[in-house]
Each structure stands twice: as structure tokens, then as C-alpha cells.
Amino acid sequence: MTNTFGGKPHVLILGGGSVGLTTASELRKTLGAEVAITVVDPRPYMTYAPFLPEVGAGSIDPRNVLAPLRKVLPGAKVVTGSVSAIRSAEKTVVVDLEDDEKLEINYDYLVVGLGAVPRLLPIPGLAENAIGFKQVEEATAVRDRILANLAEAATTKDPAARKRLLTFTFIGGGFAGGEAVSEAEDMVRDALRYYPDLHASDIRFVLVDGAPFIFPELNEDQRAYVLNQLRERGIEVKLETFLNSAEGGVIKTSDGDEFETDLLVWNAGVKPAPVLSDSEISDLPVVTERGPLMGKLEALADLRVNGVDGPLDDVFTAGDCAAVPDLASGEGKFCPPNAQHAVRQAKRVADNIARSVQGRPLVDYYHKNLGVMATLGMYKGVGRLQLGEKELDIRGLPAWAMARAYHVYAMPTLGRKASVIAGWATNLISRRDIIGIPQSESPRAAFEFAANSGKKK
């Protein structure tokens, strides 16, 4: 084993999300200063994605769902940059930094936790007009746009403009899309009390999904319950329907509907980080067969990457970019891409790297699903708990409370947990803020206006 870290094994972790942060943290607990750790990510923080719907609804301050990597991982080196080359044969990764600089990093152990990105389709106008919902910046922008639109619609005298401003379209009815539209509608319903010129009938929320149901992670009865809840709240749910076009902000769907919208949120699936499928960037083999595993690294049960000629003993993977066998569900099945598995897989990766360093045998990843929980707005939720062979169906306030409690528990750092809880407590007293700040996307606009206002034309 060769390295340049004073004789210490060097663990290089690609991705600072749930997998990267958890792996680094667990390694430090297990091996302490006996190992050198480097984490590479374009962002210097981890985003706790399950809280993004509440960020989009103004229930949580955006900064409180972020865990700064340098603060959470003392002693680890954090490199802010993007992976431009993975050369496993040379045990080297190249990272693009700012100002076109490149950094070449050698490793003894590599952990690939690069996650996933939105899976876009070649739909006219989609790339130009839609926004995703995977990053805190996107959730914040959605919140700001909706709240700013309420203020603008309350003052405009143009009926067509008013209708467009108050039409919000969400594509994708999985947990991410379903929670996002539910929380956003709940925010608008709460904000309308401050807008006497607006009525609930003026608001149009549309949820489009190509499947015959939403929230596929739930059972049939629970899916029917959620669908009924959303429709009772006035959310139009179009099932077995596809987005055909979004050009110019005009939505055209496969059921023949056509309308203008001022907000289009895309939550219709994800795909593994594209760098893994690019043979010019990565020499790690990925699944090439079409299907949900396409583009993912093939993981063995012990979370080592399965190479062309067998296991790569020094390369591990986990999370959304990995096809991990689900030993608890039976042969031939793979773990679903959710935070519950990602965090637990990361702990197994850290333990197996420690075992490899110490010359002990590796252990397979095994985790039986504990269930799922979703919030549907303030005091509203749905979920199921797996208690042995028995499944417990939970709805309404208890499900909402349990979902919030679990996510606070899972949120990294005691400070962030306290901030989230304090924010919720403040909202109970003073209600959610109704101020949207879309100008934050162009913070110099006011200064530039002042600088140019005195110039002669």
C-alpha cells in the first residue's frame, strides 16, 4: 500500500451528501487519527434532502437543512470541486477547482457516493422553463417565486396575468414531488389570510404523473387516501398523464389540457451522477442495461464495486449511484434510492474500510426497511411502519409528528436540530413568513439601477 499521508491509509470520498458525510464521520469515530480522509464535493455542505419540501413551504429556514462539511468533519480535508477523472487502475482522481485549476489526488481507498441528478426528458421548453427540487437553492427559489406571485397577483388588473401567476405546476408524484406540492399548497392556503383580494378559488395547483398512482412507496389504501386528501384541497392530480410541452410557459399535457403557468417544478425521476457513465471520465464499470439500475455502479453485498475482472478491493460505493443488493428483500432485488438506505450503507462502508485496514473480514450490508413517512402540509401526513411481520398504517397528525421527529433525529449536528425545532416553535407563535425574495437571484440589480439612473441617455 502506497500513500503520501505519513504512512496513514488515505480514504478519498467522492460526494459530500448523506453517504460522504456519514462515511467520513464513522471512519473518524472508528479509526481516529489512524486514517487520512478527503471529501470532494462541488458544495461545501451536505443538504438534508427530506427537509426540502418544508424549505419550499417556508416552514424551515434554508440554512438549517445544511451541514457544513468543514465544521461537521474536523480533521478531514474538504475539497470544493467537481470530479473530472476517476482512474482506479492508478488509484487516482482528478478534481476541477475554480479558475480552471486541477487537483490530482491519490488514494488507498475510494468511496463513490456521487448521488443522482434529475432525469430530464427531451420535452420542448422543459430545460428552459422548469426548476428542479433536489437542492436547497431550488427549494428556496420555489418558495420565493410562489410568495412573490401572490403579492403580484393581488395588485395586477390583468385577469390573464393573474391566472398565470397563480398557477403552479409540479411534475412527478413520487415522495419528492408529492410532498413538495402538498407543502406548497399548504403554505399558500395559510398565506391567503393576508390577501383579501385573493380567494382560494383563484389558486391552481397541478400535479402531473405518468403512473396510475402517486406515492408508489405506500400501499394501495394509503395511496388512495393521499390522492383523496390532495383533491379535497383543490390540487388537480393528473394520473397516467405526461407533459408534452412547456414552451413559453404554456403547459400541454397528454390528456389534451393546455394552460399557462408561472412555475414548473420537475420531480419526475433521477439518474446516477453522469460522470460515472462517461468512459472518458471514469474507468469504473456501470450497469448498461436499460432500466432503473442503468448508469449505477454494481455493488457487491459488502459494498465493494464489482469490476470487470472481479471485486475492486479498494473501491466502495453506496447511495443513489449504487446498485446495492437488498438481502432483506430477497434474491435479485436492489435497495431503493432513499436516505434510509444511504445512511446505513455509508456506515457499513466505513466499517468495512476499517476492517480492511485492520485485516479483518468484510461484512455484507443488510437492512430491513423500517417503513416510510411523508408530510402533506402542517399537521398532515401519511406513512407506514414495519414492526416485524406487521405493518402499521399511520395517517394525519400522528404521521406528521412521527415524520418530523424522525427527520430531526436524522439531521446532522445538534445545532441544526435545535435550529429546526426553534424555527418550528416560532412558526407556531407567529405563523410562517409570507415574504418572497425572488430578487435574491440578482442581488446587484438595485445597486446597478442606482448606478445607472443618473446617467444621461
Side-chain angles (χ1 to χ4, degrees):
M1 180 181 295
T2 61
N3 59 63
T4 57
F5 293 85
K8 299 178 182 179
H10 179 218
V11 181
L12 176 59
I13 301 172
L14 306 183
S18 295
V19 169
L21 184 146
T22 304
T23 301
S25 180
E26 292 295 316
L27 272 173
R28 187 60 74 206
K29 291 178 184 176
T30 305
L31 295 178
E34 297 177 20
V35 65
I37 301 171
T38 301
V39 180
V40 176
D41 196 277
R43 292 176 170 82
Y45 51 78
M46 185 276 273
T47 301
Y48 187 69
F51 270 151
L52 289 182
E54 291 209 51
V55 171
S59 297
I60 298 179
D61 184 276
R63 289 184 181 274
N64 290 338
V65 303
L66 306 178
L69 297 176
R70 289 180 172 86
K71 187 175 182 179
V72 178
L73 302 174
K77 181 177 178 60
V78 176
V79 176
T80 304
S82 301
V83 175
S84 60
I86 301 175
R87 305 167 185 158
S88 63
E90 303 171 20
K91 305 184 77 167
T92 300
V93 170
V94 180
V95 179
D96 286 345
L97 308 176
E98 292 184 358
D99 302 323
D100 296 326
E101 288 188 55
K102 291 185 180 292
L103 178 65
E104 190 170 291
I105 308 175
N106 299 319
Y107 64 82
D108 295 303
Y109 293 95
L110 179 67
V111 179
V112 184
L114 291 172
V117 300
R119 184 187 299 276
L120 298 186
L121 300 177
I123 299 172
L126 176 64
E128 296 81 6
N129 296 292
I131 185 172
F133 208 82
K134 282 188 64 62
Q135 303 295 340
V136 69
E137 300 91 343
E138 295 172 326
T140 303
V142 167
R143 179 203 66 188
D144 286 348
R145 173 71 68 84
I146 292 175
L147 292 175
N149 281 14
L150 293 181
E152 186 176 348
T155 56
T156 185
K157 295 181 180 179
D158 184 341
R162 182 189 182 102
K163 187 174 183 180
R164 175 180 56 79
L165 287 166
L166 298 178
T167 300
F168 310 109
T169 308
F170 290 70
I171 310 297
F175 259 48
E179 284 190 289
V181 70
S182 301
E183 292 283 357
E185 187 277 337
D186 193 70
M187 174 183 68
V188 170
R189 183 182 296 273
D190 187 58
L192 284 180
R193 69 182 65 239
Y194 304 107
Y195 290 94
D197 296 319
L198 299 180
H199 187 268
S201 60
D202 298 322
I203 312 297
R204 185 182 185 189
F205 276 93
V206 183
L207 176 62
V208 179
D209 196 281
F213 47 75
I214 57 175
F215 285 67
E217 298 89 340
L218 300 176
N219 62 41
E220 186 175 349
D221 287 343
Q222 290 171 325
R223 292 197 294 261
Y225 166 79
V226 173
L227 182 60
N228 184 59
Q229 285 282 307
L230 298 189
R231 286 177 169 165
E232 281 186 354
R233 289 159 56 177
I235 299 174
E236 295 180 40
V237 183
K238 294 174 175 288
L239 299 177
E240 299 181 89
T241 306
F242 300 92
L243 176 66
N244 286 344
S245 174
E247 291 184 301
V250 178
I251 301 300
K252 296 180 181 179
T253 54
S254 60
D255 62 354
D257 199 2
E258 181 176 331
F259 57 90
E260 288 188 84
T261 189
D262 199 58
L263 177 66
L264 176 61
V265 183
W266 180 262
N267 266 308
V270 296
K271 63 180 180 180
V275 297
L276 297 175
S277 299
D278 189 336
S279 59
E280 294 184 1
I281 295 178
S282 172
D283 64 0
L284 297 175
V286 298
V287 178
T288 56
E289 293 82 8
R290 285 194 172 276
L293 302 181
M294 184 177 179
K296 293 188 174 187
L297 295 173
E298 182 184 348
L300 300 173
D302 58 19
L303 300 177
R304 287 178 298 168
V305 170
N306 192 19
V308 176
D309 299 319
L312 301 179
D313 292 334
D314 53 7
V315 183
F316 293 78
T317 188
D320 293 357
C321 68
V324 178
D326 190 351
L327 301 183
S329 297
E331 187 176 351
K333 295 187 178 181
F334 293 85
C335 297
N338 58 37
Q340 183 180 145
H341 278 290
V343 170
R344 287 169 173 80
Q345 288 167 8
K347 291 181 178 180
R348 173 52 55 211
V349 167
D351 180 64
N352 276 345
I353 290 176
R355 286 172 172 270
S356 178
V357 169
Q358 297 166 349
R360 296 184 291 142
L362 306 188
V363 176
D364 289 346
Y365 172 73
Y366 181 95
H367 172 66
K368 194 163 186 178
N369 202 321
L370 301 176
V372 291
M373 289 286 173
T375 60
L376 304 174
M378 195 68 73
Y379 311 123
K380 296 177 280 289
V382 65
R384 58 180 175 80
L385 284 180
Q386 198 69 39
L387 304 176
E389 298 301 319
K390 185 178 180 181
E391 187 175 276
L392 184 61
D393 186 342
I394 307 173
R395 303 177 183 183
L397 177 61
W400 173 82
M402 291 182 70
R404 278 195 160 190
Y406 173 78
H407 290 313
V408 167
Y409 164 76
M411 180 70 207
T413 83
L414 181 60
R416 287 297 192 243
K417 297 177 196 287
S419 295
V420 168
I421 295 172
W424 285 338
T426 300
N427 288 341
L428 288 175
I429 299 171
S430 61
R431 311 194 72 88
R432 284 179 285 197
D433 205 330
I434 62 168
I435 299 175
I437 314 177
Q439 294 83 358
S440 61
E441 297 178 12
S442 52
R444 294 188 70 251
F447 183 82
E448 290 172 348
F449 176 79
N452 296 324
S453 61
K455 294 181 180 179
K456 292 182 179 181
K457 296 182 180 180

